[in-house]
Amino acid sequence: MAEGELTPNDWNEGGEERKQAGKKGCTDRVKDYVKTTEFLVYTEATLSTWGDRMWAFAVALFLIDLSPGSLQLTAIYGFAKSISVLLLGAIIGDWIDRTPRLKAVRIALVIQNGSVALCAVVFALMDVYRKEMESSAGGWIMTLCQVLLIFIAVVAILAGQATSISLQKDWVAVIAGGEKERLANMNAAIRRIDLCTKILSPVVVGQIMTFVSMLVGALFIAGWNMVSMAIEYYLYYRVYDSVPALAVKESKIDKEEVNDENSEILTKESAKPDAPPQSCHHKMFHSFFTLYNGWKIYFQQTCFRAGLGLSCLYMTVLGFDNITVGFVYTQGFSELAVSLLMAGAAILGVCGTFIYPPLRKRIGLLRTGLISGTLQWSILVLCVASVWAPGSPFDPFYFTRTSNVTLTDVTLPPDVNLPPTFTPSSNSSVFSVSFNETIFPTPVDNTTAGPQDPPADRPLWMYTSVALLMTGVTLGRIGLWMYDLTVTQLYQETVDETHRGVVFGVQNSLNFFMDMMHFILVIVLPAPETFGFLILLSFVFTVSGHLLYASYSRQVRGHLFHFDRLLCGKCGGRMLPHHKPPGTASSEQDAAACTCPQDNGAAIEYHTSV
């Protein structure tokens, strides 16, 4: 028998092993998956994002309940949250970089969940003793409690940023161990979890608040966060223990501390005895130096333009935020229609997370970013078209008109009348439109009309503009989340591990800054007639963001696109698609078909780059 040839016994043994592997049923495969690190990470991400989404939904309702008929507290909270992340994002990231991974997660987790639970308890007490607080000390006790509530909520947001950076940006990259495909799959799965919890968690807490009470909802959130904190820390510890690479960061920090101590010793030895300590000024302004160095490190990264491009996408009204939803309401869409569109957008976003891993594997990470960006802005062209589509309230000369001139007098002939919904006065705003006429149109006295027939005072073609807007916003979610995953993985692969936290912290600050900008623009341009300007500005920022990414891609790859051609090795002429390089069965026919007067040489590949 030849050496290396399998005997019948060997074949039978191998067959038995394969049979045993094939005999594993669904239960055994589930048990094996539960033991994996990925399952622990996904479970922790589910608990964390579920609590975050539930709290983000509830805190706005809490603040509105404390100030009925006013959005003042909600606006103050939103502004304080954005300013805090903008100013402290780099400092939080730098702290994550300088702190051992498990210690950083433990501190951030306790502060985040503890702050949310404390905030919910404070609201519960304010809800129970509201009358006493409002009547005593001229209402100052109530005001102080509101300030305390907002402060604790902002602390919870900042701690949430720390836990998000630690798990989703740092730990995942280390767990992947340099395997780009595994990293892409884990990033996509965590983003998928985030999108799903964004839909489901508000439904759960909303049902409790609606059918029981807001007080019970607050206590439920407090209890959830305390229980979740213990489970999340246990999962973090299991992951930390199962991946030894997560502990390597501690040795790097120790080396840095040793180097710092040595430098301090040298400085003290070289300094004069009566000279003041050189570190006093540094300690006093340590936070400012950290903030400055964080932004400096961010812009030193080779892929910072890709991050700037991502932040530009936050300066937009082309999403399902309160502003766009409010505008859609003024244009006649019902709550049911908007909720279905939001659910559809979330589903399409989840589809994007499924498309991303195989697409990245097939064409590469940089090309995936180009394709997803191109897909998004090309779909958003529908939103631009909606500005001038039938039914659009856009008036480019809105601010130049006198107070007694309305949109109807300018854009329509005298014999054509629009319903009251589309003829707001020139000094109206988004909230001054009659909601009874907009959201609930006056029923028509027509016994033959079905329940789904459109109102008689608004023909179907008048919905063209808002339909185009919502179609573009909904379909654009696919490219948006694919692009978000691309930029996230770019940072995870290119940013040094010791700077990963501060870079992602600065990225969060930029995102919040752009988000603030779009709210400021809405304050400047509040009327439905000027919403078209916001759509156009949003599209400009979206395209600019993708152009920034394209410039980065071209810098790294040397081109954006290239086209392959086969040229004749002798004359340099382009060979036709049906020609085959010499050496194949039909090379003689190809040579006869070629117009080259010399003998046909080998075909060479030529790249045309753009």
Side-chain angles (χ1 to χ4, degrees):
M1 181 179 293
E3 184 178 354
E5 185 176 349
L6 292 176
T7 63
N9 292 332
D10 295 334
W11 179 259
N12 291 333
E13 290 178 2
E16 290 296 330
E17 292 178 359
R18 289 191 294 272
K19 287 180 181 178
Q20 292 295 332
K23 285 181 179 179
K24 281 191 174 183
C26 181
T27 305
D28 295 330
R29 288 195 295 269
V30 170
K31 289 181 179 179
D32 293 339
Y33 179 72
V34 169
K35 298 177 182 179
T36 61
T37 304
E38 281 85 350
F39 175 78
L40 297 176
V41 172
Y42 299 156
T43 305
E44 200 289 324
T46 302
L47 291 173
S48 179
T49 54
W50 186 278
D52 291 345
R53 295 299 186 182
M54 198 163 54
W55 170 247
F57 172 78
V59 67
L61 299 181
F62 291 163
L63 296 175
I64 292 175
D65 183 72
L66 292 176
S67 58
S70 174
L71 297 175
Q72 184 180 23
L73 285 181
T74 306
I76 293 174
Y77 166 70
F79 181 78
K81 176 181 66 175
S82 300
I83 288 294
S84 300
V85 176
L86 177 62
L87 297 178
L88 302 178
I91 297 175
I92 292 173
D94 180 75
W95 173 77
I96 293 173
D97 289 333
R98 294 182 176 276
T99 308
R101 286 190 173 94
L102 189 61
K103 181 180 178 182
V105 163
R106 180 171 62 246
I107 295 174
L109 191 63
V110 170
I111 294 177
Q112 180 192 10
N113 290 53
S115 298
V116 171
L118 179 61
C119 199
V121 171
V122 170
F123 169 77
L125 294 175
M126 294 174 66
D127 187 65
V128 174
Y129 300 102
R130 177 180 301 184
K131 294 182 179 180
E132 290 81 353
M133 291 181 179
E134 292 177 347
S135 59
S136 60
W140 279 102
I141 296 179
M142 188 63 164
T143 303
L144 290 176
C145 289
Q146 291 174 351
V147 172
L148 178 64
L149 188 72
I150 293 176
F151 175 78
I152 299 174
V154 171
V155 171
I157 291 294
L158 295 175
Q161 294 292 316
T163 55
S164 176
I165 292 174
S166 297
L167 176 66
Q168 301 180 18
K169 306 302 189 296
D170 183 32
W171 283 49
V172 169
V174 176
I175 293 170
E179 300 179 18
K180 297 182 178 180
E181 183 178 355
R182 186 183 183 188
L183 180 60
N185 290 329
M186 293 185 71
N187 285 333
I190 291 177
R191 179 60 64 188
R192 201 175 301 134
I193 291 170
D194 182 60
L195 292 173
C196 291
T197 54
K198 186 177 181 180
I199 303 172
L200 299 176
S201 59
V203 174
V204 174
V205 69
Q207 295 297 317
I208 296 175
M209 292 181 177
T210 301
F211 294 102
V212 185
S213 69
M214 194 166 290
L215 176 62
V216 175
L219 297 177
F220 172 78
I221 292 175
W224 172 277
N225 278 271
M226 297 309 296
V227 174
S228 176
M229 178 176 63
I231 299 175
E232 287 181 54
Y233 181 73
Y234 170 75
L235 294 173
Y236 272 120
Y237 182 80
R238 286 281 306 276
V239 173
Y240 185 84
D241 188 59
S242 62
V243 182
L246 290 172
V248 175
K249 184 180 178 182
E250 295 184 12
S251 61
K252 291 183 179 181
I253 297 300
D254 293 339
K255 291 180 181 179
E256 290 181 0
E257 291 178 352
V258 170
N259 294 334
D260 293 340
E261 291 177 359
N262 293 335
S263 63
E264 289 179 2
I265 292 173
L266 294 175
T267 303
K268 290 179 180 179
E269 291 178 353
S270 60
K272 295 181 179 179
D274 56 347
Q278 296 182 0
S279 60
C280 180
H281 182 270
H282 184 272
K283 290 180 179 179
M284 185 180 299
F285 299 99
H286 176 70
S287 298
F288 296 99
F289 288 136
T290 302
L291 184 63
Y292 169 77
N293 291 330
W295 285 82
K296 183 179 179 181
I297 291 172
Y298 177 85
F299 285 104
Q300 287 176 348
Q301 305 302 315
T302 57
C303 58
F304 82 91
R305 278 180 289 181
L308 287 178
L310 178 63
S311 63
C312 286
L313 303 188
Y314 282 78
M315 214 308 294
T316 180
V317 296
L318 302 179
F320 286 98
D321 58 2
N322 296 335
I323 295 170
T324 305
V325 170
F327 172 76
V328 171
Y329 280 155
T330 66
Q331 301 308 298
F333 264 39
S334 65
E335 294 90 336
L336 177 61
V338 175
S339 62
L340 291 176
L341 287 172
M342 293 177 68
I347 293 173
L348 289 176
V350 172
C351 292
T353 63
F354 281 106
I355 297 173
Y356 168 75
L359 184 63
R360 187 216 61 85
K361 182 180 179 181
R362 183 170 182 82
I363 66 176
L365 186 62
L366 293 175
R367 289 182 179 178
T368 301
L370 289 173
I371 290 178
S372 59
T374 304
L375 176 65
Q376 186 192 11
W377 71 256
S378 60
I379 291 176
L380 293 182
V381 172
L382 296 174
C383 301
V384 176
S386 71
V387 176
W388 293 280
S392 173
F394 179 59
D395 180 13
F397 306 104
Y398 174 76
F399 291 104
T400 62
R401 305 196 185 283
T402 57
S403 59
N404 59 349
V405 179
T406 62
L407 188 64
T408 307
D409 301 325
V410 176
T411 59
L412 295 176
D415 56 342
V416 178
N417 295 321
L418 284 178
T421 303
F422 293 92
T423 57
S425 60
S426 60
N427 58 357
S428 63
S429 65
V430 174
F431 302 102
S432 63
V433 180
S434 175
F435 279 80
N436 289 332
E437 296 173 351
T438 305
I439 304 177
F440 306 103
T442 304
V444 181
D445 187 13
N446 185 359
T447 55
T448 61
Q452 297 180 349
D453 294 338
D457 59 349
R458 187 166 192 186
L460 212 62
W461 59 268
M462 295 298 293
Y463 289 93
T464 304
S465 174
V466 68
L468 285 174
L469 175 64
M470 288 294 97
T471 301
V473 171
T474 303
L475 295 179
R477 301 292 96 178
I478 300 178
L480 172 64
W481 292 118
M482 289 171 59
Y483 180 77
D484 177 83
L485 290 170
T486 300
V487 176
T488 298
Q489 186 161 348
L490 270 176
Y491 275 120
Q492 290 171 332
E493 293 180 1
T494 59
V495 177
D496 187 76
E497 181 180 338
T498 57
H499 294 150
R500 194 176 290 152
V502 68
V503 168
F504 277 107
V506 174
Q507 182 64 50
N508 289 341
S509 298
L510 283 172
N511 296 344
F512 272 83
F513 173 74
M514 288 295 182
D515 191 53
M516 284 177 58
M517 287 291 295
H518 105 273
F519 281 109
I520 293 173
L521 286 175
V522 173
I523 295 174
V524 176
L525 303 170
E529 293 92 340
T530 59
F531 195 79
F533 289 121
L534 300 178
I535 294 175
L536 297 178
L537 283 173
S538 301
F539 183 77
V540 169
F541 270 86
T542 301
V543 174
S544 300
H546 292 312
L547 288 177
L548 285 170
Y549 177 85
S551 66
Y552 162 73
S553 177
R554 194 177 191 281
Q555 178 188 13
V556 175
R557 301 171 63 224
H559 59 272
L560 291 177
F561 308 100
H562 69 264
F563 309 95
D564 298 336
R565 300 180 180 182
L566 288 179
L567 304 181
C568 178
K570 292 293 184 180
C571 66
R574 183 177 181 183
M575 300 181 68
L576 299 177
H578 66 273
H579 289 175
K580 296 181 180 179
T584 60
S586 59
S587 60
E588 296 181 358
Q589 298 177 1
D590 293 337
C594 184
T595 58
C596 178
Q598 308 176 27
D599 294 335
N600 189 30
I604 59 174
E605 187 177 8
Y606 176 72
H607 300 284
T608 301
S609 301
V610 178

